[in-house]
Amino acid sequence: MSPFKSKILFIVFIISFLSSTVTAENINLENLKSDDTYVYSYFNKFLDDYDTTINKMIQNNITYINDSKSSFEKTAYLNSEINVYEEYGMNTPAKSVIPHFYNFSKNLEDLSGLCQEFNKNLELNTTSSKYFAKLIGADIVEKIHLMKSNLHDIKDTSELKKDDKTLIFDTLDVEKSLDYLELKFSKNIENMRNVTPSSNLTIFISPKNPLIYENTTIYGTGLNGNGKIIMTGPENITENIYLKNNHYSTQYLFKKSGIYTLKLTQYGRESEAIDVNISKIPTKIISESYFEFLVFKENNISGKVIDFYGNSINSGDILFENENLNLKNGTFNMSLYSDYEKIENYTLKFSESEKYLSSEKNIEINFSKPLLNIQIYSEIGKINKNEPLTITGTYENGPNLNLDLWVDNNSIENFNSKGTFKKEIFFERPGNYEVFVTFNGNEYYDFSKSNILMINVADDDNSINLFAASISKAYEINWKILILILLIIAFGIKFSDLYNIFKNKTQEKTVKKYPDNILPKSSEKSAVIEKTVLLEYQELYNKIMKKYNISVELTPNELLKYLKKINPKIYYDLKIITKIHEKAVYGKEKLDSNTLKYFHDLIKRVLENL
């Protein structure tokens, strides 16, 4: 091999090294990892709420009742929503966390009820009430031990990640508050060790006004031996009990709602009666609040109805307009159609039943025209001035439509097309240009814009200047360029020879590395992987949530609706992104390379406008 050729090959290697270094900065979407910090932060707020509630119990601030109930309702409904959305292919890292928080929230609500009963018995300040406070105090300590076990489960959760770091929940503050609460009740129990109940006939129930099918405790005092609890109301019931150490306690579930009167009878005597209001179980309808549907297409809405405990309700009806929808396995489905654009608000109603209370859900439906998926490409992305550039384009279904061809913000041609088209463009001046095609819309399609091609137009009259500009533009002037210049000087190669090598190498790299301007060869096309779209959308979703400080987790369509009001500039691009995301992730559709490229381009543009 001649010395000249060896020098040329070495410089080609250097140029290849420089090119690969630049392109390596591009993100490989396949290797993107989802960031779980949002889920982590969301559940960390629950820990703060738990600590606040427990401290209110320590201070005997009665608002802990509502706080604990609210925490449990949130986790119960969230648990159900995660399960429902999982059925539709919407997975979330919250699924690995919610069971432990659900268990703690449920036990916190139970603890709240026990603390309330304990304090009520102390306030009565009778021998019997103090005795029952002592028994309830022991139940409280046992419940606290169980909740500490729940906290260990929360702390041991290792599924949430940020990059290679595992996100660990800090439960120390909640544990310390539970320790203090346990110490408080342990001392109270110790102070009441010599208390014994009287033989007076009494009857109590905890919780005082329970739901049907909720665990209740009926307890009281009386003489040692047999006794009967008489319950009258929607059902007439007699429970046989046995008293030891002048007290009794029994578990009971009410199966019908209404007001019951309870009393204890023993040896011909009876206690004072108490009235108990047994309520039906609250319900909630789970579905998205906002739907965006296409006109001239049959669309479906589905959802689920759950009860207060997060269980599916498997029977009953949903009233929608004048239609009754039967629940099947806890879910409902309905079809909607419109032949024109409109936004409608509806109310879904779950009818009250013998067991369940009614509930409502307001939803908004936006019927809109679809976007025309216009895709354009060229075989090259870099030309000299006054050379023709051929733009090829396609759109789905192939209707005869009138389109506009744009260079930057100037419309240069209005033309008709039947689904495919080719257009030649000449550039008189060097520079970088954006080329795209638009459609103004009709009764079937909304205003639509194609992907954008970035075209670099060179000035072929000045090769040396072009070379220098290319180096500066593509790689920036850095130490690697200085090395290249030193090599040129050291080996004595003509600058014009080096430019020709560089030009050929750069064009080769441009064809292979810059899909914005290229029609890929069929052998280079890869199957669109659902994970690619999902991860890239998650990255965009997290950045938008952080940008606008949104603390409530939103579905893709709810986020779209939110942004329409606060940032219309990115709304229409995000609308298309969401539709492609739904096709790939929920619809399991295989996207072609043009659609996937369009998806990447739109996400890049949205990020630039955030």
Side-chain angles (χ1 to χ4, degrees):
M1 181 181 293
S2 70
F4 178 78
K5 286 186 178 179
S6 65
K7 294 172 187 177
I8 294 297
L9 288 175
F10 182 69
I11 291 178
V12 169
F13 168 77
I14 293 293
I15 293 172
S16 300
F17 169 74
L18 290 171
S19 300
S20 63
T21 303
V22 174
T23 57
E25 294 173 1
N26 295 331
I27 296 174
N28 183 352
L29 296 175
E30 290 292 333
N31 295 327
L32 270 178
K33 295 181 179 180
S34 64
D35 191 334
D36 298 335
T37 52
Y38 177 82
V39 172
Y40 175 80
S41 300
Y42 183 86
F43 280 96
N44 246 343
K45 293 177 183 177
F46 277 107
L47 290 175
D48 293 338
D49 292 342
Y50 296 156
D51 190 46
T52 300
T53 303
I54 295 168
N55 276 288
K56 285 183 178 181
M57 292 179 183
I58 295 170
Q59 299 161 13
N60 201 21
N61 181 340
I62 196 62
T63 58
Y64 64 73
I65 296 292
N66 291 330
D67 290 353
S68 61
K69 181 180 179 181
S70 175
S71 291
F72 175 62
E73 286 180 348
K74 286 179 183 177
T75 49
Y77 289 144
L78 180 59
N79 182 49
S80 298
E81 287 181 340
I82 290 171
N83 292 331
V84 169
Y85 290 134
E86 186 183 28
E87 294 174 7
Y88 303 135
M90 298 171 66
N91 295 315
T92 168
K95 182 171 176 59
S96 63
V97 181
I98 187 63
H100 308 313
F101 280 85
Y102 175 89
N103 292 337
F104 189 92
S105 295
K106 182 66 179 76
N107 286 322
L108 181 64
E109 189 191 36
D110 292 342
L111 178 65
S112 174
L114 290 171
C115 288
Q116 186 181 29
E117 290 299 317
F118 179 90
N119 291 324
K120 284 181 179 179
N121 277 285
L122 280 188
E123 288 171 6
L124 290 173
N125 199 29
T126 65
T127 302
S128 294
S129 68
K130 289 179 181 179
Y131 180 77
F132 285 119
K134 177 183 175 182
L135 296 178
I136 295 169
D139 291 339
I140 288 173
V141 171
E142 184 179 348
K143 182 66 70 174
I144 289 173
H145 290 166
L146 179 58
M147 293 171 69
K148 287 181 179 179
S149 177
N150 297 150
L151 283 180
H152 291 155
D153 292 336
I154 291 172
K155 187 176 180 179
D156 291 343
T157 301
S158 59
E159 286 83 0
L160 300 185
K161 307 285 184 182
K162 181 179 182 181
D163 301 324
D164 295 329
K165 178 184 175 183
T166 300
L167 300 173
I168 303 298
F169 290 106
D170 184 0
T171 60
L172 185 60
D173 288 343
V174 184
E175 289 178 32
K176 287 181 178 179
S177 296
L178 282 176
D179 286 340
Y180 195 90
L181 187 65
E182 180 182 359
L183 179 63
K184 174 183 176 180
F185 282 104
S186 296
K187 287 185 175 181
N188 282 328
I189 294 170
E190 186 178 349
N191 292 336
M192 293 183 288
R193 60 189 171 194
N194 296 322
V195 176
T196 56
S198 71
S199 58
N200 294 331
L201 271 61
T202 60
I203 187 167
F204 306 96
I205 186 170
S206 178
K208 188 173 182 180
N209 293 301
L211 305 175
I212 56 176
Y213 294 97
E214 181 178 5
N215 287 323
T216 61
T217 301
I218 303 173
Y219 62 96
T221 59
L223 299 171
N224 291 336
N226 295 321
K228 292 182 179 182
I229 298 173
I230 308 298
M231 293 177 269
T232 57
E235 291 183 304
N236 295 321
I237 306 153
T238 299
E239 283 281 306
N240 293 317
I241 58 169
Y242 185 81
L243 284 75
K244 185 178 180 180
N245 295 327
N246 293 344
H247 81 274
Y248 66 94
S249 177
T250 186
Q251 302 294 313
Y252 190 77
L253 294 176
F254 291 89
K255 298 178 181 179
K256 285 190 176 182
S257 62
I259 297 177
Y260 290 78
T261 299
L262 278 62
K263 62 184 178 181
L264 169 69
T265 64
Q266 191 180 37
Y267 308 128
R269 297 191 304 160
E270 62 181 37
S271 68
E272 287 189 17
I274 60 172
D275 290 332
V276 182
N277 185 11
I278 311 299
S279 302
K280 294 180 181 180
I281 303 174
T283 62
K284 185 175 183 179
I285 301 172
I286 296 179
S287 75
E288 292 190 47
S289 299
Y290 177 76
F291 297 88
E292 188 152 341
F293 292 144
L294 298 179
V295 296
F296 302 108
K297 184 179 179 181
E298 200 72 36
N299 301 283
N300 292 313
I301 289 179
S302 59
K304 197 167 191 175
V305 184
I306 61 171
D307 65 15
F308 174 79
Y309 305 104
N311 302 314
S312 298
I313 297 174
N314 295 322
S315 62
D317 295 320
I318 292 286
L319 180 63
F320 176 73
E321 295 294 276
N322 295 319
E323 182 180 1
N324 281 330
L325 308 170
N326 294 322
L327 290 175
K328 294 180 180 179
N329 298 322
T331 63
F332 62 88
N333 294 278
M334 56 186 172
S335 296
L336 294 173
Y337 176 87
S338 178
D339 55 7
Y340 61 95
E341 288 188 302
K342 63 177 180 177
I343 297 177
E344 296 283 358
N345 292 294
Y346 299 99
T347 300
L348 300 171
K349 295 181 180 180
F350 173 68
S351 304
E352 184 172 345
S353 66
E354 185 177 341
K355 181 178 178 180
Y356 297 106
L357 291 173
S358 63
S359 55
E360 294 185 357
K361 171 84 175 185
N362 294 318
I363 61 173
E364 182 178 311
I365 303 175
N366 182 4
F367 289 96
S368 60
K369 291 183 286 190
L371 296 170
L372 189 67
N373 185 16
I374 309 171
Q375 297 292 321
I376 61 172
Y377 47 88
S378 67
E379 293 183 353
I380 57 175
K382 183 176 180 181
I383 61 169
N384 293 321
K385 68 178 184 179
N386 295 318
E387 289 182 357
L389 175 72
T390 301
I391 302 296
T392 304
T394 61
Y395 53 86
E396 72 271 19
N397 301 328
N400 189 2
L401 299 175
N402 187 260
L403 308 176
D404 289 293
L405 178 62
W406 296 75
V407 174
D408 287 341
N409 291 319
N410 300 311
S411 177
I412 63 171
E413 185 179 353
N414 178 268
F415 62 95
N416 289 321
S417 172
K418 291 185 178 181
T420 60
F421 54 86
K422 284 190 176 182
K423 293 292 172 183
E424 277 194 351
I425 308 175
F426 292 85
F427 298 90
E428 297 179 353
R429 291 186 297 275
N432 294 312
Y433 295 89
E434 290 187 352
V435 177
F436 57 92
V437 172
T438 62
F439 170 62
N440 283 333
N442 59 17
E443 64 175 311
Y444 296 103
Y445 291 97
D446 205 347
F447 171 84
S448 305
K449 183 178 179 179
S450 74
N451 55 306
I452 296 176
L453 300 185
M454 300 300 298
I455 305 299
N456 176 250
V457 180
D459 187 349
D460 59 350
D461 294 335
N462 193 336
S463 298
I464 293 178
N465 287 341
L466 175 62
F467 174 68
S470 299
I471 291 289
S472 177
K473 180 78 176 170
Y475 310 114
E476 300 179 353
I477 297 177
N478 52 31
W479 64 271
K480 294 171 186 161
I481 300 301
L482 294 176
I483 290 175
L484 186 58
I485 293 172
L486 290 174
L487 287 169
I488 294 169
I489 296 171
F491 288 108
I493 299 170
K494 292 180 181 180
F495 203 75
S496 58
D497 291 336
L498 180 60
Y499 162 66
N500 289 329
I501 296 168
F502 177 82
K503 179 179 178 183
N504 293 335
K505 189 65 181 174
T506 303
Q507 287 177 341
E508 178 186 344
K509 290 293 178 183
T510 301
V511 169
K512 290 183 179 179
K513 295 293 183 181
Y514 292 89
D516 282 352
N517 309 320
I518 305 305
L519 172 62
K521 297 178 182 178
S522 58
S523 61
E524 294 175 347
K525 291 182 181 179
S526 59
V528 180
I529 301 175
E530 175 189 332
K531 180 181 175 184
T532 303
V533 174
L534 176 62
L535 292 179
E536 191 169 1
Y537 179 83
Q538 284 180 341
E539 183 79 4
L540 176 64
Y541 177 94
N542 291 335
K543 288 182 179 179
I544 293 174
M545 298 291 279
K546 183 177 180 180
K547 167 71 176 178
Y548 295 105
N549 195 27
I550 303 172
S551 58
V552 179
E553 191 167 5
L554 302 175
T555 65
N557 278 316
E558 287 172 343
L559 178 62
L560 188 62
K561 179 184 177 183
Y562 178 80
L563 288 176
K564 186 175 184 180
K565 299 176 181 177
I566 64 171
N567 192 344
K569 186 174 182 180
I570 67 173
Y571 167 75
Y572 291 102
D573 285 342
L574 187 62
K575 182 178 178 181
I576 302 172
I577 290 169
T578 303
K579 288 183 182 297
I580 296 174
H581 172 261
E582 288 175 344
K583 283 183 179 180
V585 178
Y586 308 148
K588 308 297 181 184
E589 294 183 22
K590 185 173 287 187
L591 306 180
D592 58 43
S593 57
N594 287 334
T595 303
L596 184 59
K597 174 187 172 303
Y598 191 30
F599 181 77
H600 298 333
D601 291 344
L602 289 173
I603 284 189
K604 181 181 177 182
R605 195 156 69 197
V606 168
L607 289 173
E608 290 172 351
N609 288 316
L610 277 181

